[in-house]
Amino acid sequence: MGIYILKPYKKVQSRQYGPGMLYLSSHGLWLITIAKCGILCIRDVYTLETFARCRSHSHQGHGIQSMRISMDGQNILVNGRDDGTLVYLKWKRFGGLLASEILDYYQKLLISLSSTMGEENDYLSTTPKVCIDLGSDSEHTKQKASIDSSQDELVPTDVKKEIPWIQQKSQEAIKKEVNLFSKKRKEIKEGIKSLSKTILNMMEENDKLENIAKLDQQEFGLDLEELERLHDESQEEVAKMIKDVEMHNLAKSYLAELIKEECWNSMAVKGRALKCFHIPCVVENFPMKARTVEELKELERVLQQKKIEAECLKLRKEIVEAQSGVILVKKRHEEDDEEEEEEDKTVKCSNLPNYLLGSLSTDFGVDTSLLSSQLQLHSREEKINQIILLKDIIYKVKTAFNNEFDAAYKQKEFEITRVKERNVRIREIIVDLELEEAVWQPEFEDCEKPERTLVVQDEEITAHKHVMPWHKAREELIVNRETERWLLIQGANTRLRALMDMMGGVLEVKKEDILRMVIPQPAFMAKPDAVWTEEERKQFKDYEKKVKELNEERDKYRKSLEAELKKLQNSIQESTQAFDEHLKRLFERRVKAELVTNQEELKISNLAFSLLLDEELSSREKFLNNYLTRKQLEKSQTSEAVRKSREDLDVYKEHYDNLLAEDKVMDRSFKKEFSEIPGHQVDILYKLFKRRPRISKQKTHSETTSAVPFGELPGSGKLSKDAFAQLMKAMDELDNISNMPEGLNPLVWNHFCMTRRAKVENEQKVKQKAADLLEMATFLRKRVEEEEKVQQEIERVFHELILLQEEKVRFQLNLTIQILLKQGQVELENFQLVLEYSDAILINRNIIEDLNSVIRTQGQKKIASMMETKDVHKRILQIEWEHKKMEMEREDLNQKAWDIQMLFFSRDRQKYLNEPNYEALISIQIGIMEQTIAVLDKTHKKNVENCKKLLKKLGKFSNQKDIANYTLSCNLREELVAVSERKDICNAMGSKLTCEKIVKERYENMMQQQKLTHISKQQAEQISILQTEVERLRMKTFPALVQM
């Protein structure tokens, strides 16, 4: 197995924070990323560009936990981590290449899955038949064996499966036990059934008896102990459920109290809304908590500091003005300004315009004079003070809007009370007029009075109230006593009964009773008119007069009531509509207040972000400084070690050179010491002098360290002593007398051995010194390399520190400024125009305005010169046009002269010029033409009559032909049926008759020939017409060649 190393192919900034997860779509071309920030992004796998982005959950609930996308990519389900919400996302516009790719993949996958499912269903529908056939015999035998068994016995399976041996044995044991005790179980069940029947019969007989002779239901229980046990268990279960419900209610009430304390009691301004009467418009106030003592102290400190800074700035200006000699004038101006401020008592505002202030908070009358300019926020303390002041501005803006909201709320309360007062009169008028109109009564909703949601009304409780029996009895007794007392009062009050009988319950007739007033008819009106007397007739007339007057008064009063009703309704409509208009303006004010708060919060977030960046840069700078001091200390230590090692190396190298020189001197002085013996013996001794004993070589450094990690190093003293001891032993063998050359004096041999031993000892010392020298050199080289590395690290840290300081200075100078801009008339979507202002520079507006004024003046000069050149060109074009006009007039006159010369006189024109009585001739021709027209008319009438007769004949002939065609169509239908039958027979036989093919080919050829002949006839007619037209045109135009 090898090791695979993955390298990054492409890196893209995700713009998501917190831990997240990656998902891949079904077709593998979409990469879906989720994170703790609660944002879901869909990217292209190849380019990693985000083409869809949605914030489905809040980062306060720890974002998104999981996500699932459908196979076709149209539906997405997102689950939150801590907020307990499941969000369903769907595309607004789903089309283009991205949609086509995933839909094609989904269609292909659906087709493949449906095909495989169909194959599997076909296979499953065919295979179970064998199993059923195989198991039919065993099933039949098993059913026979289990006829006598009870219902609770085991039911044998239809198909035997391969089961373990232990299960087989257990099943066999169960079957044996069932077969053994089946009769006994049957007898017990029959006894239980008979016993239950007898008990039921006894209970039925008990129900038929009288109440005195009846037994309780409990006396029919056979096992009373079991009943008591079940009763106790039920009581325990009920107690447990009650306890659980109480604990659940206690937890809910505790949670409700916490929510109420956090969201209601702790609010200095409760959140509420206002709705219009007739318009679907809702205005909400700003719910606000009371500021803490620490916040107020911090705000007071910042305000005091700002005031001190303002006073210091004034004093500095006064000092500068005193030095410049204009202090008196400035003092007068300041005194005048102070007097004006005291008289006006207006709120100070910042000198900065709104576009540089970055918000519209001045529209709400908030004092922004203490705010620092956005171009001067360089230090950390200034930014913190600015954040505190901006929070105070937000609080003041919300407070100002809430005051306006409270005034509108009081106005709505006043309007509702006024509508209620008017509705009382409207109801009276509706009752008097007997109208069926509904009275509109506005009321406050729960969102307008949220404190009502904290109080539970009786009608909100859906569960029935449990009333004790003695409570019911007491209430019924109270109701009965009240009704009896009322009846007694009504029976004793004779005055009231008399008033009701005589005057309708009123002592004085009011104007409102006119509509209900009825004049009683005289008693004689029940008799016929012929029987009436004169006096009765007069009474009848008086009765009619009174009825008429009553009806007139009733109509007048009805009209006055209708006018009053309309007036009241119009006044209610006008007042409510005026309130709606005021609330619409308040809604606009609410939008503006929210805009201001968002602007200020955006400034606060920018300042907080800059503070975080500043803190990060400071911590990074501190870390680099500490790291640099640590590296500098390490550098001093390494440089000291390098200096000492160099000194030791120089001293040791001097000793090594001395030993090497002594070794060379001993080698050179060998022949001089043995100059007394013969030369050939000297050569033999010199060879023996150069000869060294063979000893076992020491292991290398790597071998020794690998074998014995805690052993001695190769250059250590113990190893060198061991090697020297081995060498001396080997030298003792070489110094043996047996190795002496022949003919050599033993004294000389002893002197030679001593000299050689001294030489070997010296060589051993030289080797030891060389090894030590090499080890010291490697040690020095390592120390030098370490020193260089430390130096490089110090330089790198210095460079990074310089870059960090430059970045810090750039960050302090390159401020993020919020500027208010006018929105354009045309707004583009973000993906159509990428705004990149990384190289932009903030310039003073006066410079741009001066530059624009210069550009305008130059532009006006250029326009003036262009107008002059335009007038010159215009005059030139006008002269050229006049010249062309004259040329064309000349050509036109020449053409007219040519036309006059070439004028053609026809015979009619010649006759008109030559004939003196041209009009008489024309009249004669007209008479001849009228005669010819009359003749033609007669012939036309005759032709019409002949055509009518011919049409009648043709009609009769066509009827005959229709009858013949009908008979032929019937025959043709029968023939077609026969032909279709024969064709089906031929198709079934698989061959066609050759005669049919020949007939069909001949028919096609004949039709083609007819079509070609028809086309040729048409073309011949067109050719003849064109020939006649060409001949006519040729005869008409005669060329006339006359020289000009």
Side-chain angles (χ1 to χ4, degrees), residues 56-197:
S56 60
H57 294 79
S58 175
H59 69 280
Q60 296 177 355
H62 300 287
I64 303 170
Q65 183 178 7
S66 60
M67 184 278 310
R68 290 293 180 271
I69 185 170
S70 60
M71 297 294 289
D72 57 353
Q74 295 186 4
N75 304 310
I76 301 173
L77 283 176
V78 185
N79 183 21
R81 185 174 295 276
D82 291 341
D83 53 3
T85 58
L86 182 68
V87 180
Y88 169 67
L89 301 176
K90 197 169 183 180
W91 297 87
K92 289 184 180 178
R93 295 187 298 273
F94 191 71
L97 182 61
L98 297 171
S100 63
E101 289 175 353
I102 192 166
L103 289 175
D104 292 340
Y105 175 80
Y106 175 69
Q107 292 293 334
K108 291 177 182 176
L109 183 63
L110 196 63
I111 291 166
S112 64
L113 289 175
S114 60
S115 62
T116 53
M117 287 172 67
E119 292 174 1
E120 290 173 357
N121 291 331
D122 294 335
Y123 179 78
L124 291 172
S125 62
T126 55
T127 52
K129 293 180 181 178
V130 182
C131 299
I132 292 167
D133 295 333
L134 291 172
S136 60
D137 297 331
S138 62
E139 183 181 359
H140 183 65
T141 56
K142 287 181 182 179
Q143 285 179 355
K144 282 183 179 180
S146 62
I147 287 171
D148 297 329
S149 63
S150 63
Q151 294 180 357
D152 296 334
E153 293 176 0
L154 294 172
V155 179
T157 57
D158 295 339
V159 183
K160 286 186 178 181
K161 297 181 180 179
E162 293 183 359
I163 57 177
W165 178 81
I166 296 173
Q167 292 184 5
Q168 290 180 3
K169 293 299 179 183
S170 63
Q171 287 181 3
E172 290 176 0
I174 292 167
K175 288 177 183 177
K176 287 180 182 179
E177 188 177 355
V178 168
N179 294 326
L180 183 63
F181 297 103
S182 60
K183 293 181 180 180
K184 193 69 176 176
R185 290 175 66 186
K186 203 170 183 181
E187 291 175 358
I188 292 169
K189 286 187 177 181
E190 288 177 356
I192 291 169
K193 286 181 181 178
S194 62
L195 187 62
S196 63
K197 285 180 182 179

Side-chain angles (χ1 to χ4, degrees), residues 350-362:
S350 177
N351 294 325
L352 291 172
N354 283 336
Y355 66 87
L356 280 181
L357 187 61
S359 67
L360 300 172
S361 55
T362 54

Side-chain angles (χ1 to χ4, degrees), residues 650-661:
D650 293 338
V651 173
Y652 209 82
K653 194 172 182 181
E654 187 176 354
H655 291 301
Y656 175 73
D657 292 337
N658 294 330
L659 285 173
L660 193 60

Side-chain angles (χ1 to χ4, degrees), residues 693-700 719 722-727 730:
R694 292 182 180 178
I695 57 175
S696 59
K697 293 183 179 179
Q698 295 178 356
K699 293 183 179 180
T700 59
L719 290 175
D722 294 338
F724 184 70
Q726 290 180 4
L727 183 62

